[in-house]
Amino acid sequence: MFTLYPQPPVFKALREYICAIQIRQGGDLQVGYKLGNYLSKAGFSNIVTKVQVVDARSRWEELSSFWVYFLLVVLIIAWLRISKP
């Protein structure tokens, strides 16, 4: 998951909605932090994890990839809301 600082109110609501869905489906909100350990226990080696910080001073490529990811998440949420029985 990702966050923004300062966090706009609409983004906070979106993030809370995504987290609620993940929890309701049995997901782990901290799985990103645990992924390296899970891969290691599964027998993978040479594992590298990193935190990607994107801010207004970042290069355009970094910002555009962030917004592509963000818009993808928004589209998935919209689809989930539409496809509810």
Side-chain angles (χ1 to χ4, degrees):
M1 183 54 78
F2 56 91
T3 189
L4 298 174
Y5 182 82
Q7 191 173 63
V10 68
F11 183 81
K12 181 179 180 190
L14 174 64
R15 182 175 165 81
E16 288 172 356
Y17 182 74
I18 293 169
C19 290
I21 291 171
Q22 189 172 358
I23 290 168
R24 190 170 53 246
Q25 294 179 351
D28 181 354
L29 296 178
Q30 303 300 317
V31 72
Y33 299 106
K34 301 173 184 176
L35 188 56
N37 290 330
Y38 290 159
L39 292 170
S40 179
K41 289 178 183 177
F44 290 89
S45 59
N46 299 324
I47 301 163
V48 176
T49 60
K50 69 176 186 174
V51 173
Q52 180 71 38
V53 176
V54 178
D55 66 24
R57 297 170 297 224
S58 298
R59 295 187 321 240
W60 170 248
E61 297 85 22
E62 294 173 17
L63 286 171
S64 62
S65 65
F66 169 81
W67 287 111
V68 166
Y69 175 75
F70 177 77
L71 291 173
L72 179 61
V73 169
V74 170
L75 289 172
I76 290 169
I77 290 170
W79 178 80
L80 288 171
R81 290 186 125 186
I82 292 169
S83 65
K84 283 185 180 178

